[in-house]
């Protein structure tokens, strides 16, 4: 029985197709619980009513990005909550978090100013400020920070 001279190449190709993709997968990041808000409304973003998802609420801005990117406004870090919203925080703006919902394949973890966080068709944005009680309140967003989020630096 004569073996094909291409057998080693076929075996190597099969090995690469099976072993390498499974070794390159990243584990899914742990999702955080959204911070407790000081304000409580009956309906919140993420709730469903008559089968329809509520996508934003009081204090959220919805910005049509049409697939464009969102950038880190400062050096900081991003985490994702159980609803899929990303929270950006930085020591440069203590006691504040920026909630970014509607992102596609967000970059999580440490980011530098100007790093691309994700893209979005519609960005739902809120600024949260931490009270001394430990609860968070949605506050008016800064136009300057929003502009930095939407333009690469």
């Amino acid at each position: 029985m004569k073996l094909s001279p291409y057998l080693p190449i076929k075996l190597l190709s099969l090995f690469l197709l099976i072993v390498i993709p499974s070794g390159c997968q990243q584990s899914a990041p742990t999702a955080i619980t959204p911070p407790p808000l000081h304000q409580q409304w009956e309906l919140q973003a993420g709730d469903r009513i008559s089968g329809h998802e509520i996508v934003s609420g009081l204090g959220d801005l919805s910005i049509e990005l049409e697939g464009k990117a969102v950038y880190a406004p400062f050096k900081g870090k991003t985490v994702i909550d159980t609803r899929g919203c990303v929270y950006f925080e930085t020591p440069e703006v203590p006691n504040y978090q920026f909630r970014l919902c509607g992102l596609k394949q967000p970059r999580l973890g440490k980011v530098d100013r100007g790093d691309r966080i994700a893209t979005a068709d519609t960005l739902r944005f809120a600024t949260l400020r931490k009270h001394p009680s430990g609860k968070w309140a949605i506050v008016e967003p800064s136009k300057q920070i929003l502009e930095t989020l939407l333009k690469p630096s």
Side-chain angles (χ1 to χ4, degrees):
M1 176 179 191
K2 186 174 180 183
L3 295 176
S4 166
Y6 298 107
L7 183 61
I9 293 172
K10 288 180 181 179
L11 290 175
L12 178 61
S13 298
L14 181 63
F15 173 79
L16 292 174
L17 286 172
I18 294 171
V19 174
I20 290 183
S22 64
C24 294
Q25 293 176 353
Q26 294 181 353
S27 60
T30 304
I32 64 163
T33 301
L37 292 177
H38 178 70
Q39 309 102 316
Q40 289 297 318
W41 297 287
E42 183 178 1
L43 296 173
Q44 302 282 327
D47 289 347
R48 297 188 77 77
I49 188 162
S50 297
H52 301 280
E53 182 181 1
I54 297 172
V55 295
S56 65
L58 187 61
D60 289 33
L61 292 177
S62 295
I63 304 169
E64 292 294 331
L65 295 184
E66 301 171 342
K68 293 186 177 85
V70 175
Y71 302 92
F74 305 97
K75 183 177 182 173
K77 78 172 188 176
T78 58
V79 294
I80 195 163
D81 74 10
T82 53
R83 300 172 305 169
C85 293
V86 171
Y87 290 79
F88 175 86
E89 61 184 16
T90 176
E92 294 183 49
V93 188
N95 298 317
Y96 284 85
Q97 289 186 352
F98 306 112
R99 185 177 66 200
L100 311 162
C101 301
L103 300 180
K104 296 178 184 177
Q105 300 178 337
R107 177 179 175 181
L108 302 175
K110 293 180 181 179
V111 292
D112 289 320
R113 178 186 174 98
D115 282 355
R116 181 179 166 153
I117 296 173
T119 61
D121 293 324
T122 302
L123 170 66
R124 296 181 318 274
F125 177 86
T127 302
L128 288 76
R129 182 175 164 268
K130 191 172 188 177
H131 284 261
S133 69
K135 290 192 175 184
W136 293 82
I138 296 176
V139 297
E140 183 177 8
S142 159
K143 184 177 177 182
Q144 181 181 4
I145 289 175
L146 276 171
E147 287 174 342
T148 306
L149 270 168
L150 302 176
K151 293 181 184 176
S153 58

